[in-house]
Amino acid sequence: MSVTPANIAVALGVTAPTSGSIQGQQWQLWIDDATMLIDTRATQLNIDIDTIDDAKLDYVVREAVVGHIKKPDDATQVSITVDDGTTSKSYRSGKGRVSILDEWWVILGLTDPSGAFTLDMVPNRSLHLPWCSLNFGATYCSCGVDIAGVPIYEGADDAWY
C-alpha cells in the first residue's frame, strides 16, 4: 500500500501539506486508521491482506480518508445569527471517524459470507400440486401428498411426479 498525504491532497484537489505539519500528521493518522480497519476485517475473515490487489487497497484507503476529510463529524446543520438575521446551512453528515463503506468491502473481497439469510437459487421441487391448499397458505394438504406421498386428489392424473 502506498497512500500518502500527498495522494490525499491530489484527490481533494488541494496543495499537499508540508512535511511534519499538523494537517499532514492528521491525514497520515487517518490513513493508518483506514489500513487498520481493513487489516482487522481481513484477520477476522482469515484472509491475508497481502493477497488484496494494491490498487484496490489504495483506492479504498484513499476514498475513506477523503470522505472523512470532506465530512469530518456528524453535525448536520450550522446556524449563524447576527442581529435580526439568521443564516443556516445543512450538511450531509459523516460518522465522525474514518469508515469503510460496504461497497468498498466488496471491492476488497472482505465481505462476511455469513449473513441474516441466504438465498437458495436451486428450486425446491415439491410433490404437492400447484393448486394444493398448502401452496396458498393453508395448514393442510388438499392433494393427498401428506398421506400417500404422492398426489391422489385434485387431478393427480395430470401431475408431473
Side-chain angles (χ1 to χ4, degrees):
M1 186 189 74
S2 59
V3 178
T4 64
N7 299 125
I8 302 301
V10 170
L12 290 169
V14 299
T15 304
T18 58
S19 179
S21 69
I22 295 297
Q23 186 180 39
Q25 292 176 31
Q26 187 178 41
W27 289 6
Q28 185 60 53
L29 176 70
W30 292 338
I31 291 168
D32 295 342
D33 288 349
T35 305
M36 181 266 312
L37 291 172
I38 293 168
D39 189 47
T40 301
R41 173 74 70 102
T43 301
Q44 289 172 344
L45 297 174
N46 294 322
I47 296 174
D48 184 10
I49 196 167
D50 294 330
T51 62
I52 299 172
D53 180 55
D54 285 339
K56 292 177 181 179
L57 188 61
D58 289 350
Y59 170 79
V60 171
V61 170
R62 187 176 59 248
E63 291 301 311
V65 173
V66 167
H68 181 61
I69 291 169
K70 287 182 176 179
K71 296 180 242 165
D73 59 28
D74 56 0
T76 56
Q77 186 169 1
V78 176
S79 298
I80 299 172
T81 303
V82 177
D83 294 331
D84 292 340
T86 300
T87 183
S88 60
K89 185 171 182 177
S90 296
Y91 297 93
R92 290 179 46 204
S93 66
K95 294 186 180 237
R97 59 184 164 77
V98 175
S99 58
I100 310 293
L101 299 178
D102 290 338
E103 63 201 55
W104 296 339
W105 290 123
V106 172
I107 289 172
L108 295 173
L110 296 176
T111 55
D112 189 2
S114 65
F117 60 92
T118 59
L119 295 177
D120 185 3
M121 301 307 288
V122 178
N124 184 6
R125 186 162 181 188
S126 171
L127 293 176
H128 292 277
L129 296 172
W131 48 86
C132 177
S133 56
L134 280 176
N135 293 327
F136 297 100
T139 57
Y140 60 92
C141 168
S142 62
C143 68
V145 169
D146 61 342
I147 57 174
V150 295
I152 55 175
Y153 305 122
E154 298 183 341
D157 298 331
D158 299 329
W160 60 85
Y161 62 95

Tab-separated table of all heavy atoms in Angstrom, residues 73-104:
chain	number	residue	atom	x	y	z
A	73	ASP	N	-17.413	15.258	10.819
A	73	ASP	CA	-18.180	14.972	12.029
A	73	ASP	C	-19.641	14.757	11.683
A	73	ASP	O	-20.038	14.780	10.531
A	73	ASP	CB	-18.021	16.082	13.077
A	73	ASP	CG	-18.456	17.449	12.579
A	73	ASP	OD1	-19.338	17.518	11.699
A	73	ASP	OD2	-17.935	18.448	13.063
A	74	ASP	N	-20.420	14.541	12.715
A	74	ASP	CA	-21.826	14.239	12.490
A	74	ASP	C	-22.734	15.454	12.611
A	74	ASP	O	-23.936	15.305	12.795
A	74	ASP	CB	-22.283	13.120	13.421
A	74	ASP	CG	-22.034	13.441	14.888
A	74	ASP	OD1	-21.512	14.530	15.176
A	74	ASP	OD2	-22.352	12.599	15.726
A	75	ALA	N	-22.185	16.666	12.495
A	75	ALA	CA	-23.012	17.878	12.503
A	75	ALA	C	-23.814	17.931	11.217
A	75	ALA	O	-23.306	17.682	10.141
A	75	ALA	CB	-22.139	19.118	12.625
A	76	THR	N	-25.077	18.239	11.333
A	76	THR	CA	-25.926	18.286	10.142
A	76	THR	C	-26.418	19.685	9.805
A	76	THR	O	-26.872	19.908	8.708
A	76	THR	CB	-27.148	17.366	10.311
A	76	THR	OG1	-27.850	17.737	11.492
A	76	THR	CG2	-26.719	15.920	10.400
A	77	GLN	N	-26.337	20.610	10.742
A	77	GLN	CA	-26.791	21.961	10.447
A	77	GLN	C	-26.023	22.962	11.302
A	77	GLN	O	-25.800	22.742	12.487
A	77	GLN	CB	-28.283	22.116	10.706
A	77	GLN	CG	-28.807	23.468	10.263
A	77	GLN	CD	-30.316	23.526	10.266
A	77	GLN	OE1	-30.982	22.563	10.615
A	77	GLN	NE2	-30.851	24.655	9.885
A	78	VAL	N	-25.639	24.045	10.659
A	78	VAL	CA	-24.948	25.122	11.348
A	78	VAL	C	-25.759	26.387	11.132
A	78	VAL	O	-26.127	26.710	10.008
A	78	VAL	CB	-23.511	25.308	10.803
A	78	VAL	CG1	-22.846	26.496	11.466
A	78	VAL	CG2	-22.703	24.046	11.002
A	79	SER	N	-26.063	27.105	12.210
A	79	SER	CA	-26.824	28.355	12.124
A	79	SER	C	-25.987	29.496	12.678
A	79	SER	O	-25.323	29.353	13.704
A	79	SER	CB	-28.126	28.260	12.917
A	79	SER	OG	-28.953	27.260	12.390
A	80	ILE	N	-26.058	30.620	11.994
A	80	ILE	CA	-25.362	31.822	12.437
A	80	ILE	C	-26.384	32.939	12.532
A	80	ILE	O	-27.129	33.194	11.589
A	80	ILE	CB	-24.238	32.220	11.459
A	80	ILE	CG1	-23.208	31.093	11.378
A	80	ILE	CG2	-23.595	33.529	11.870
A	80	ILE	CD1	-22.170	31.283	10.308
A	81	THR	N	-26.420	33.605	13.693
A	81	THR	CA	-27.349	34.707	13.903
A	81	THR	C	-26.566	35.983	14.184
A	81	THR	O	-25.694	36.007	15.047
A	81	THR	CB	-28.278	34.406	15.096
A	81	THR	OG1	-28.954	33.172	14.854
A	81	THR	CG2	-29.283	35.517	15.294
A	82	VAL	N	-26.875	37.027	13.415
A	82	VAL	CA	-26.278	38.345	13.625
A	82	VAL	C	-27.426	39.351	13.664
A	82	VAL	O	-28.156	39.493	12.682
A	82	VAL	CB	-25.275	38.707	12.511
A	82	VAL	CG1	-24.742	40.103	12.716
A	82	VAL	CG2	-24.158	37.692	12.450
A	83	ASP	N	-27.564	40.001	14.789
A	83	ASP	CA	-28.665	40.955	14.995
A	83	ASP	C	-29.993	40.294	14.652
A	83	ASP	O	-30.386	39.338	15.289
A	83	ASP	CB	-28.444	42.243	14.195
A	83	ASP	CG	-27.234	43.031	14.686
A	83	ASP	OD1	-26.914	42.926	15.885
A	83	ASP	OD2	-26.608	43.715	13.864
A	84	ASP	N	-30.694	40.808	13.643
A	84	ASP	CA	-32.007	40.266	13.285
A	84	ASP	C	-31.939	39.178	12.219
A	84	ASP	O	-32.949	38.577	11.879
A	84	ASP	CB	-32.921	41.391	12.778
A	84	ASP	CG	-33.284	42.375	13.880
A	84	ASP	OD1	-33.154	41.994	15.056
A	84	ASP	OD2	-33.691	43.500	13.555
A	85	GLY	N	-30.768	38.942	11.663
A	85	GLY	CA	-30.650	37.983	10.560
A	85	GLY	C	-30.075	36.654	11.007
A	85	GLY	O	-29.229	36.571	11.883
A	86	THR	N	-30.584	35.617	10.395
A	86	THR	CA	-30.102	34.264	10.673
A	86	THR	C	-29.851	33.555	9.354
A	86	THR	O	-30.652	33.650	8.434
A	86	THR	CB	-31.138	33.460	11.485
A	86	THR	OG1	-31.371	34.117	12.708
A	86	THR	CG2	-30.662	32.051	11.754
A	87	THR	N	-28.760	32.885	9.291
A	87	THR	CA	-28.489	32.041	8.134
A	87	THR	C	-28.101	30.658	8.648
A	87	THR	O	-27.483	30.523	9.697
A	87	THR	CB	-27.376	32.636	7.241
A	87	THR	OG1	-27.217	31.803	6.106
A	87	THR	CG2	-26.052	32.729	7.977
A	88	SER	N	-28.503	29.662	7.915
A	88	SER	CA	-28.152	28.306	8.316
A	88	SER	C	-27.812	27.497	7.080
A	88	SER	O	-28.276	27.787	5.980
A	88	SER	CB	-29.276	27.647	9.106
A	88	SER	OG	-30.442	27.578	8.327
A	89	LYS	N	-26.988	26.513	7.286
A	89	LYS	CA	-26.583	25.638	6.199
A	89	LYS	C	-26.646	24.199	6.691
A	89	LYS	O	-26.180	23.893	7.778
A	89	LYS	CB	-25.166	25.979	5.736
A	89	LYS	CG	-24.735	25.181	4.545
A	89	LYS	CD	-23.431	25.682	3.965
A	89	LYS	CE	-23.083	24.851	2.745
A	89	LYS	NZ	-21.879	25.308	2.092
A	90	SER	N	-27.235	23.344	5.869
A	90	SER	CA	-27.324	21.927	6.208
A	90	SER	C	-26.234	21.167	5.481
A	90	SER	O	-25.890	21.470	4.341
A	90	SER	CB	-28.688	21.365	5.806
A	90	SER	OG	-29.705	21.980	6.552
A	91	TYR	N	-25.689	20.171	6.155
A	91	TYR	CA	-24.620	19.350	5.605
A	91	TYR	C	-25.023	17.897	5.645
A	91	TYR	O	-25.764	17.473	6.526
A	91	TYR	CB	-23.335	19.499	6.436
A	91	TYR	CG	-22.761	20.884	6.442
A	91	TYR	CD1	-23.096	21.783	7.452
A	91	TYR	CD2	-21.892	21.299	5.462
A	91	TYR	CE1	-22.566	23.058	7.465
A	91	TYR	CE2	-21.355	22.573	5.462
A	91	TYR	CZ	-21.693	23.447	6.468
A	91	TYR	OH	-21.166	24.704	6.478
A	92	ARG	N	-24.501	17.149	4.679
A	92	ARG	CA	-24.603	15.701	4.791
A	92	ARG	C	-23.560	15.290	5.806
A	92	ARG	O	-22.397	15.637	5.688
A	92	ARG	CB	-24.334	15.045	3.443
A	92	ARG	CG	-25.463	15.295	2.455
A	92	ARG	CD	-25.232	14.679	1.116
A	92	ARG	NE	-24.760	13.306	1.222
A	92	ARG	CZ	-24.054	12.709	0.274
A	92	ARG	NH1	-23.728	13.339	-0.808
A	92	ARG	NH2	-23.662	11.466	0.426
A	93	SER	N	-23.956	14.578	6.797
A	93	SER	CA	-23.031	14.304	7.898
A	93	SER	C	-22.214	13.043	7.671
A	93	SER	O	-22.609	12.145	6.944
A	93	SER	CB	-23.809	14.183	9.209
A	93	SER	OG	-24.644	13.059	9.169
A	94	GLY	N	-21.060	13.036	8.317
A	94	GLY	CA	-20.209	11.863	8.326
A	94	GLY	C	-20.403	11.107	9.624
A	94	GLY	O	-21.222	11.479	10.466
A	95	LYS	N	-19.625	10.066	9.811
A	95	LYS	CA	-19.743	9.271	11.029
A	95	LYS	C	-18.882	9.805	12.158
A	95	LYS	O	-18.919	9.301	13.256
A	95	LYS	CB	-19.370	7.821	10.736
A	95	LYS	CG	-20.347	7.152	9.801
A	95	LYS	CD	-20.034	5.690	9.664
A	95	LYS	CE	-21.026	5.065	8.721
A	95	LYS	NZ	-21.743	3.984	9.266
A	96	GLY	N	-18.056	10.813	11.853
A	96	GLY	CA	-17.191	11.350	12.875
A	96	GLY	C	-15.903	10.559	13.039
A	96	GLY	O	-15.151	10.773	13.969
A	97	ARG	N	-15.645	9.628	12.122
A	97	ARG	CA	-14.437	8.809	12.156
A	97	ARG	C	-14.213	8.243	10.769
A	97	ARG	O	-15.099	8.275	9.916
A	97	ARG	CB	-14.579	7.672	13.162
A	97	ARG	CG	-15.747	6.768	12.862
A	97	ARG	CD	-15.928	5.701	13.930
A	97	ARG	NE	-17.226	5.090	13.857
A	97	ARG	CZ	-17.586	4.174	12.967
A	97	ARG	NH1	-16.739	3.758	12.085
A	97	ARG	NH2	-18.798	3.667	12.978
A	98	VAL	N	-13.038	7.725	10.524
A	98	VAL	CA	-12.755	7.065	9.252
A	98	VAL	C	-13.579	5.782	9.194
A	98	VAL	O	-13.604	5.014	10.155
A	98	VAL	CB	-11.243	6.739	9.130
A	98	VAL	CG1	-10.968	5.941	7.874
A	98	VAL	CG2	-10.425	8.013	9.140
A	99	SER	N	-14.275	5.575	8.094
A	99	SER	CA	-15.083	4.362	7.979
A	99	SER	C	-14.996	3.825	6.556
A	99	SER	O	-14.749	4.565	5.606
A	99	SER	CB	-16.536	4.629	8.369
A	99	SER	OG	-17.082	5.645	7.566
A	100	ILE	N	-15.203	2.536	6.428
A	100	ILE	CA	-15.155	1.846	5.147
A	100	ILE	C	-16.591	1.486	4.760
A	100	ILE	O	-17.290	0.816	5.523
A	100	ILE	CB	-14.306	0.550	5.223
A	100	ILE	CG1	-12.938	0.807	5.873
A	100	ILE	CG2	-14.160	-0.087	3.850
A	100	ILE	CD1	-12.000	1.666	5.108
A	101	LEU	N	-17.038	1.937	3.591
A	101	LEU	CA	-18.388	1.640	3.129
A	101	LEU	C	-18.521	0.167	2.743
A	101	LEU	O	-17.537	-0.477	2.366
A	101	LEU	CB	-18.736	2.512	1.920
A	101	LEU	CG	-18.721	4.021	2.128
A	101	LEU	CD1	-19.031	4.730	0.818
A	101	LEU	CD2	-19.706	4.433	3.205
A	102	ASP	N	-19.742	-0.344	2.816
A	102	ASP	CA	-19.992	-1.746	2.471
A	102	ASP	C	-19.547	-2.060	1.044
A	102	ASP	O	-19.007	-3.132	0.783
A	102	ASP	CB	-21.473	-2.091	2.633
A	102	ASP	CG	-21.901	-2.124	4.085
A	102	ASP	OD1	-21.023	-2.299	4.958
A	102	ASP	OD2	-23.111	-1.984	4.357
A	103	GLU	N	-19.781	-1.142	0.115
A	103	GLU	CA	-19.385	-1.388	-1.275
A	103	GLU	C	-17.865	-1.509	-1.416
A	103	GLU	O	-17.369	-2.199	-2.296
A	103	GLU	CB	-19.925	-0.298	-2.193
A	103	GLU	CG	-19.387	1.080	-1.883
A	103	GLU	CD	-20.246	2.202	-2.418
A	103	GLU	OE1	-21.449	2.232	-2.108
A	103	GLU	OE2	-19.704	3.043	-3.151
A	104	TRP	N	-17.121	-0.843	-0.543
A	104	TRP	CA	-15.659	-0.947	-0.587
A	104	TRP	C	-15.197	-2.292	-0.038
A	104	TRP	O	-14.205	-2.834	-0.488
A	104	TRP	CB	-15.009	0.208	0.155
A	104	TRP	CG	-15.284	1.549	-0.459
A	104	TRP	CD1	-15.682	1.805	-1.749
A	104	TRP	CD2	-15.209	2.805	0.185
A	104	TRP	NE1	-15.838	3.150	-1.938
A	104	TRP	CE2	-15.552	3.799	-0.768
A	104	TRP	CE3	-14.879	3.211	1.458
A	104	TRP	CZ2	-15.573	5.148	-0.468
A	104	TRP	CZ3	-14.897	4.564	1.759
A	104	TRP	CH2	-15.244	5.518	0.801
